[in-house]
Structures are given as C-alpha cells and as structure tokens.
Amino acid sequence: MTKENFLYFAEADVATTGEALCAPASSFLGLDPISATTTRLSFKAQSGAAVDDDVLITHANISADASIHRKVAAWAARALSNPAGKYIDMADLELTLYNEGVNATVANGGLLMSTVAVTKA
C-alpha cells in the first residue's frame, strides 16, 4: 500500500455549514492566484463530478508581500510532497490549526490566512 497525504481544509463555521474538504494529495489539480488577496487550490471532485472541489484561501495582500502567491504555492507543495503519508490539517479555521502534521517553515503567520472557503462539486 502506498503512503499518501490527505489535506484537510475547513471553514470557520464548519460545525454548522459542513463546509470542509479532506482531499488526497493525488487529487490535487493546481493552484491559481485569483486576486491580490486570494489563491485557489483545486482538487478532483470527490463526488466524481466534472467540476472541481476548490479551496479559496484569503491571505496577506500582494501589495504588502510581493511573493505571497509563491509562498502559498510553497506551503501547498511541502504538504503535498510530505514523504510521511499522513493526515495534514492545512487550514482549519474552526479550530485555528494550520500545517498540523507537516514540517513547514511557513505557518499561518507567514501567509496571514484569514478565511478559507470550500466549494465541493
């Protein structure tokens, strides 16, 4: 059996909305800078639908940190390539956990994440 990482993202009100995503690293499709303050991570839909499951992260403004999108990409790449094969709490705003389960040098303080919005197919 191959070890695989599972990445967990949760909105601040997941207890009432159920908006969370736990995706295997193998379903990662890509990362897109959407605006000066947001980056989208896309995963193959767990439902099997033709549209993607997306996680939209609101972070520090590019005017304050010109390399913020690169930092978000590096943060995601570290978790996706973690050789341990485990569950990683990437951004759980309900419990205010970030990077739980991965050795990461860029924690929330470096990205200044403020919201996570999960959209599932």
Side-chain angles (χ1 to χ4, degrees), residues 36-111:
T37 59
T38 58
T39 302
R40 179 181 61 215
L41 285 77
S42 298
F43 297 87
K44 291 179 194 168
Q46 293 179 347
S47 67
V51 295
D52 305 335
D53 288 341
D54 293 323
V55 177
L56 186 68
I57 297 173
T58 303
H59 49 66
N61 194 311
I62 198 166
S63 65
D65 184 349
S67 62
I68 190 65
H69 294 296
R70 183 192 58 75
K71 288 179 180 178
V72 173
W75 166 74
R78 273 193 297 277
L80 290 162
S81 63
N82 186 329
K86 58 167 93 176
Y87 167 88
I88 301 169
D89 229 325
M90 294 292 289
D92 182 344
L93 271 65
E94 183 170 51
L95 301 177
T96 60
L97 293 174
Y98 304 93
N99 305 313
E100 188 74 22
V102 66
N103 294 327
T105 56
V106 178
N108 187 44
L111 301 178

Side-chain angles (χ1 to χ4, degrees), residues 18-44:
E19 294 300 332
L21 177 69
C22 186
S26 61
S27 71
F28 180 71
L29 296 172
L31 178 144
D32 300 298
I34 300 300
S35 74
T37 59
T38 58
T39 302
R40 179 181 61 215
L41 285 77
S42 298
F43 297 87
K44 291 179 194 168

